PDB file of all heavy atoms in Angstrom:
ATOM      1  N   ARG B  15       4.960 -13.555  23.572  1.00  0.00           N
ATOM      2  CA  ARG B  15       4.709 -12.713  24.734  1.00  0.00           C
ATOM      3  C   ARG B  15       6.015 -12.449  25.478  1.00  0.00           C
ATOM      4  O   ARG B  15       6.881 -13.301  25.556  1.00  0.00           O
ATOM      5  CB  ARG B  15       3.682 -13.363  25.656  1.00  0.00           C
ATOM      6  CG  ARG B  15       3.947 -14.812  25.967  1.00  0.00           C
ATOM      7  CD  ARG B  15       2.903 -15.365  26.893  1.00  0.00           C
ATOM      8  NE  ARG B  15       1.553 -15.216  26.341  1.00  0.00           N
ATOM      9  CZ  ARG B  15       0.442 -15.302  27.069  1.00  0.00           C
ATOM     10  NH1 ARG B  15       0.526 -15.514  28.376  1.00  0.00           N
ATOM     11  NH2 ARG B  15      -0.729 -15.198  26.523  1.00  0.00           N
ATOM     12  N   ASN B  18       7.835  -9.440  32.297  1.00  0.00           N
ATOM     13  CA  ASN B  18       8.788  -9.001  33.297  1.00  0.00           C
ATOM     14  C   ASN B  18      10.100  -8.476  32.711  1.00  0.00           C
ATOM     15  O   ASN B  18      11.184  -8.870  33.114  1.00  0.00           O
ATOM     16  CB  ASN B  18       9.093 -10.185  34.235  1.00  0.00           C
ATOM     17  CG  ASN B  18       9.393  -9.684  35.632  1.00  0.00           C
ATOM     18  OD1 ASN B  18       9.173  -8.497  35.932  1.00  0.00           O
ATOM     19  ND2 ASN B  18       9.914 -10.555  36.468  1.00  0.00           N
ATOM     20  N   LEU B  21      14.780  -2.761  32.009  1.00  0.00           N
ATOM     21  CA  LEU B  21      16.092  -2.304  31.532  1.00  0.00           C
ATOM     22  C   LEU B  21      16.248  -0.824  31.837  1.00  0.00           C
ATOM     23  O   LEU B  21      15.273  -0.085  32.009  1.00  0.00           O
ATOM     24  CB  LEU B  21      16.274  -2.584  30.035  1.00  0.00           C
ATOM     25  CG  LEU B  21      15.403  -1.872  29.004  1.00  0.00           C
ATOM     26  CD1 LEU B  21      16.013  -0.534  28.603  1.00  0.00           C
ATOM     27  CD2 LEU B  21      15.288  -2.750  27.766  1.00  0.00           C
ATOM     28  N   SER B  54       1.312  -4.630  31.250  1.00  0.00           N
ATOM     29  CA  SER B  54       1.570  -4.174  32.612  1.00  0.00           C
ATOM     30  C   SER B  54       3.003  -3.669  32.687  1.00  0.00           C
ATOM     31  O   SER B  54       3.783  -3.847  31.751  1.00  0.00           O
ATOM     32  CB  SER B  54       1.353  -5.318  33.611  1.00  0.00           C
ATOM     33  OG  SER B  54       2.284  -6.341  33.361  1.00  0.00           O
ATOM     34  N   PHE B  84       9.883   9.539   3.795  1.00  0.00           N
ATOM     35  CA  PHE B  84       8.579   9.854   3.229  1.00  0.00           C
ATOM     36  C   PHE B  84       8.713  10.078   1.724  1.00  0.00           C
ATOM     37  O   PHE B  84       9.446  10.968   1.295  1.00  0.00           O
ATOM     38  CB  PHE B  84       8.002  11.109   3.884  1.00  0.00           C
ATOM     39  CG  PHE B  84       7.904  11.021   5.385  1.00  0.00           C
ATOM     40  CD1 PHE B  84       8.161  12.128   6.173  1.00  0.00           C
ATOM     41  CD2 PHE B  84       7.570   9.823   6.012  1.00  0.00           C
ATOM     42  CE1 PHE B  84       8.068  12.050   7.559  1.00  0.00           C
ATOM     43  CE2 PHE B  84       7.478   9.739   7.385  1.00  0.00           C
ATOM     44  CZ  PHE B  84       7.735  10.860   8.159  1.00  0.00           C
ATOM     45  N   GLY B  86       8.315  11.326  -1.928  1.00  0.00           N
ATOM     46  CA  GLY B  86       7.878  12.589  -2.509  1.00  0.00           C
ATOM     47  C   GLY B  86       8.276  13.826  -1.723  1.00  0.00           C
ATOM     48  O   GLY B  86       8.059  14.935  -2.177  1.00  0.00           O
ATOM     49  N   LEU B  97       9.440  20.022  13.004  1.00  0.00           N
ATOM     50  CA  LEU B  97       9.376  21.418  13.437  1.00  0.00           C
ATOM     51  C   LEU B  97       8.152  22.111  12.840  1.00  0.00           C
ATOM     52  O   LEU B  97       7.520  22.943  13.493  1.00  0.00           O
ATOM     53  CB  LEU B  97      10.653  22.144  13.028  1.00  0.00           C
ATOM     54  CG  LEU B  97      11.946  21.485  13.547  1.00  0.00           C
ATOM     55  CD1 LEU B  97      13.166  22.205  13.017  1.00  0.00           C
ATOM     56  CD2 LEU B  97      11.958  21.454  15.068  1.00  0.00           C
ATOM     57  N   ASP B 125      17.807  19.269  -1.548  1.00  0.00           N
ATOM     58  CA  ASP B 125      16.682  19.380  -2.469  1.00  0.00           C
ATOM     59  C   ASP B 125      16.350  18.071  -3.166  1.00  0.00           C
ATOM     60  O   ASP B 125      15.476  18.035  -4.031  1.00  0.00           O
ATOM     61  CB  ASP B 125      16.963  20.479  -3.495  1.00  0.00           C
ATOM     62  CG  ASP B 125      17.005  21.843  -2.822  1.00  0.00           C
ATOM     63  OD1 ASP B 125      16.134  22.094  -1.963  1.00  0.00           O
ATOM     64  OD2 ASP B 125      17.926  22.631  -3.112  1.00  0.00           O
ATOM     65  N   ARG B 136      20.374   7.729   3.086  1.00  0.00           N
ATOM     66  CA  ARG B 136      19.011   7.570   3.628  1.00  0.00           C
ATOM     67  C   ARG B 136      19.040   7.545   5.153  1.00  0.00           C
ATOM     68  O   ARG B 136      18.214   8.180   5.816  1.00  0.00           O
ATOM     69  CB  ARG B 136      18.378   6.272   3.124  1.00  0.00           C
ATOM     70  CG  ARG B 136      18.127   6.240   1.636  1.00  0.00           C
ATOM     71  CD  ARG B 136      17.600   4.877   1.227  1.00  0.00           C
ATOM     72  NE  ARG B 136      16.219   4.710   1.670  1.00  0.00           N
ATOM     73  CZ  ARG B 136      15.177   5.063   0.942  1.00  0.00           C
ATOM     74  NH1 ARG B 136      15.360   5.563  -0.260  1.00  0.00           N
ATOM     75  NH2 ARG B 136      13.965   4.899   1.390  1.00  0.00           N
ATOM     76  N   SER B 159      22.058  -2.143   9.586  1.00  0.00           N
ATOM     77  CA  SER B 159      22.102  -3.527   9.097  1.00  0.00           C
ATOM     78  C   SER B 159      22.068  -3.628   7.577  1.00  0.00           C
ATOM     79  O   SER B 159      22.539  -4.597   7.014  1.00  0.00           O
ATOM     80  CB  SER B 159      20.942  -4.321   9.696  1.00  0.00           C
ATOM     81  OG  SER B 159      19.733  -3.763   9.275  1.00  0.00           O
ATOM     82  N   GLN B 168      31.540   4.448   8.680  1.00  0.00           N
ATOM     83  CA  GLN B 168      31.353   5.903   8.690  1.00  0.00           C
ATOM     84  C   GLN B 168      30.136   6.277   9.533  1.00  0.00           C
ATOM     85  O   GLN B 168      30.176   7.229  10.311  1.00  0.00           O
ATOM     86  CB  GLN B 168      31.144   6.408   7.265  1.00  0.00           C
ATOM     87  CG  GLN B 168      32.387   6.345   6.401  1.00  0.00           C
ATOM     88  CD  GLN B 168      32.068   6.601   4.935  1.00  0.00           C
ATOM     89  OE1 GLN B 168      30.905   6.736   4.555  1.00  0.00           O
ATOM     90  NE2 GLN B 168      33.112   6.653   4.117  1.00  0.00           N
ATOM     91  N   SER B 180      24.909  15.870  21.102  1.00  0.00           N
ATOM     92  CA  SER B 180      23.569  16.315  21.491  1.00  0.00           C
ATOM     93  C   SER B 180      23.195  15.855  22.894  1.00  0.00           C
ATOM     94  O   SER B 180      22.200  16.316  23.442  1.00  0.00           O
ATOM     95  CB  SER B 180      22.542  15.807  20.479  1.00  0.00           C
ATOM     96  OG  SER B 180      22.628  14.408  20.387  1.00  0.00           O
TER      97      SER B 180
END
Side-chain angles (χ1 to χ4, degrees):
Chain B
R15 48 179 57 198
N18 212 11
L21 66 87
S54 64
F84 304 143
L97 304 176
D125 293 317
R136 294 176 73 89
S159 62
Q168 290 169 355
S180 57

